Amino acid sequence: DPGGDAEPTVIQPKSQLFVALNVTWPLSPSVITLASAGARNIDAAEAQLRVNREQIVYGVVQAYAGAYQAQESIAVLLQQVELAAAHRKDTEALFRAGMVTKDLVLRAGVEEQKIILQLKQLQQQHRTLRRAVGVLMGTGMKGVGRLSPLPEVVVDPQADARDWAGEAAEKRPELKQAEAMALAAKNMQIDSALQFLPQVALSGSYNWTDQSAGFDGKQDSWWIGIGASLPIWDGGIKIHKARIAASQRRQAVANIQNQQMMIEQEAQDAYDQWQSAREALPVAELEQQMAAEAYRLSEVRYRAGTARQIEILDARAVLQGSELSLLQTRVAERVAGAALLKAAGQVRMWASKL
């Protein structure tokens, strides 16, 4: 242009702005199987959480029972210490009067010190168990006051071991966990089989620029399509994974049967042990009553001058053993009942009464 008024022709701008968006969405049925397997794994994890809670609750019951038994045993031994001290003083007075020999005085002192030592050991055990109860209950030792007896386990008298086994099979979380894991393994086996199908994906792309292109003046373009791919050879990896998935499913199915048999056996064993503990309780009560009566009669004979001091010491030792045995039998009966409820998946509701 001789006049210099025409605009220059631009062949390629020095600066351009481009925006590109590419999207690929797999169209695979594996999404369904993997999502289902994930959901079943979550169910299995929740069931495992319930199993852990049942174990913790039963651990609290055992620690509580031990602490309560130690607490009540201390009360029994404190009474025995007072009686032993009184008998020792009486024996020393009789020795000074020349009515008994020195060996009876020594024996009375030894019996008193043995009970005191047993009491100290029991007090240490009681503190340890109280700390354990406080830790398990989350209150600390200061939050544990005087312990009450374990609540009674109320059982249907018509129910037998088979009924408890059936109840356990319905409520135990271990069986639900095994079933959830079997369903997850089934979904994973299906997913391994789907890997042999072509992999299909929906793809699309969108492009934009601030410069017009071509003769239509458009600044953007897009496309969408479906593609499929199928590897010809993978070295047998898919077959290997499919075999592993099938094996894991068989193991999961077998685990259901094993868990069911174990749960039923545990429930039946717990029922038998609870029955044995119940039957032992009347015997222990009768033994304690006999020992108490024998001790009372020995004191009567001693005051009447027809019994020796050694007979009272022996009778008191038998009474102490029978009282501690009765206490242990009562606690064992309640713990056996708690074990039965745990085997049936019902221990948490019962333990809430503590």
Side-chain angles (χ1 to χ4, degrees), residues 74-85:
I74 288 173
V76 172
L77 289 182
L78 285 174
Q79 296 177 355
Q80 295 298 326
V81 168
E82 294 179 0
L83 291 174

Side-chain angles (χ1 to χ4, degrees), residues 56-71 125-148 150 354:
I56 292 174
V57 169
Y58 186 63
V60 172
V61 170
Q62 289 180 310
Y64 186 99
Y68 171 77
Q69 180 176 334
Q71 169 188 284
Q125 180 183 359
H126 181 232
R127 290 192 296 270
T128 300
L129 290 171
R130 281 173 60 88
R131 284 192 290 267
V133 172
V135 170
L136 291 172
M137 298 181 69
T139 60
M141 185 174 178
K142 295 182 179 179
V144 181
R146 182 170 180 80
L147 303 180
S148 303
L150 289 171
L354 293 176

Side-chain angles (χ1 to χ4, degrees), residues 21 35 47 53 56 166 198 202 209 218 245 267 275 289 306 342 349:
L21 178 63
R53 287 174 177 171
I56 292 174
L202 178 66
T209 179
K218 289 186 176 181
Q275 285 281 49
Q289 294 172 5
T306 59
K342 174 182 175 294
M349 183 178 298

Side-chain angles (χ1 to χ4, degrees), residues 158-167 264 267-269 271-272 340:
Q158 302 299 326
D160 57 10
R162 288 175 296 181
D163 295 327
W164 282 95
E167 188 81 8
E264 291 178 354
Q268 292 175 352
D269 292 344
Y271 180 82
D272 292 339
L340 176 59

Side-chain angles (χ1 to χ4, degrees), residues 165-180:
E167 188 81 8
E170 293 179 2
K171 296 185 177 180
R172 285 285 291 272
E174 292 92 337
L175 188 57
K176 293 180 174 59
Q177 180 187 21
E179 292 172 348

Side-chain angles (χ1 to χ4, degrees), residues 30-270:
S30 295
V31 176
I32 300 175
T33 57
L34 291 176
S36 180
R40 301 292 78 76
N41 284 327
I42 292 176
D43 293 339
E46 292 176 347
Q48 181 61 47
L49 181 61
R50 291 195 295 271
V51 172
N52 295 339
R53 287 174 177 171
E54 293 279 339
Q55 294 289 351
I56 292 174
V57 169
Y58 186 63
V60 172
V61 170
Q62 289 180 310
Y64 186 99
Y68 171 77
Q69 180 176 334
Q71 169 188 284
E72 298 303 307
S73 298
I74 288 173
V76 172
L77 289 182
L78 285 174
Q79 296 177 355
Q80 295 298 326
V81 168
E82 294 179 0
L83 291 174
H87 284 301
R88 175 183 54 78
K89 293 177 181 178
D90 291 343
T91 306
E92 290 175 348
L94 292 174
F95 174 73
R96 288 192 294 269
M99 300 177 63
V100 297
T101 58
K102 181 67 174 179
D103 62 314
L104 291 179
V105 177
L106 294 175
R107 174 166 180 175
V110 169
E111 292 293 333
E112 180 186 9
Q113 292 303 316
K114 287 172 62 177
I115 297 175
I116 292 174
L117 178 60
Q118 187 178 359
L119 175 62
K120 291 181 178 180
Q121 293 174 345
L122 198 57
Q123 288 172 336
Q124 187 276 331
Q125 180 183 359
H126 181 232
R127 290 192 296 270
T128 300
L129 290 171
R130 281 173 60 88
R131 284 192 290 267
V133 172
V135 170
L136 291 172
M137 298 181 69
T139 60
M141 185 174 178
K142 295 182 179 179
V144 181
R146 182 170 180 80
L147 303 180
S148 303
L150 289 171
E152 183 179 1
V153 177
V154 181
V155 175
D156 183 3
Q158 302 299 326
D160 57 10
R162 288 175 296 181
D163 295 327
W164 282 95
E167 188 81 8
E170 293 179 2
K171 296 185 177 180
R172 285 285 291 272
E174 292 92 337
L175 188 57
K176 293 180 174 59
Q177 180 187 21
E179 292 172 348
M181 294 180 66
L183 289 175
K186 177 182 177 182
N187 288 315
M188 293 305 297
Q189 185 184 15
I190 294 174
D191 179 73
S192 66
L194 293 176
Q195 299 303 313
F196 291 92
L197 299 178
Q199 303 298 310
V200 181
L202 178 66
S203 302
S205 176
Y206 176 80
N207 299 279
W208 177 87
T209 179
D210 62 343
Q211 301 295 325
S212 300
F215 297 97
D216 54 5
K218 289 186 176 181
Q219 294 178 285
D220 60 350
S221 63
W222 62 273
W223 63 268
I224 187 171
I226 297 178
S229 63
L230 180 63
I232 298 177
W233 176 249
D234 63 355
I237 296 178
K238 292 180 180 178
I239 296 176
H240 178 67
K241 291 182 177 180
R243 290 175 177 174
I244 292 177
S247 176
Q248 291 175 343
R249 182 184 179 185
R250 289 192 297 270
Q251 294 176 9
V253 172
N255 187 46
I256 295 177
Q257 299 175 350
N258 293 335
Q259 285 290 343
Q260 186 167 5
M261 289 188 296
M262 291 174 59
I263 288 172
E264 291 178 354
Q265 179 182 354
E266 182 179 346
Q268 292 175 352
D269 292 344

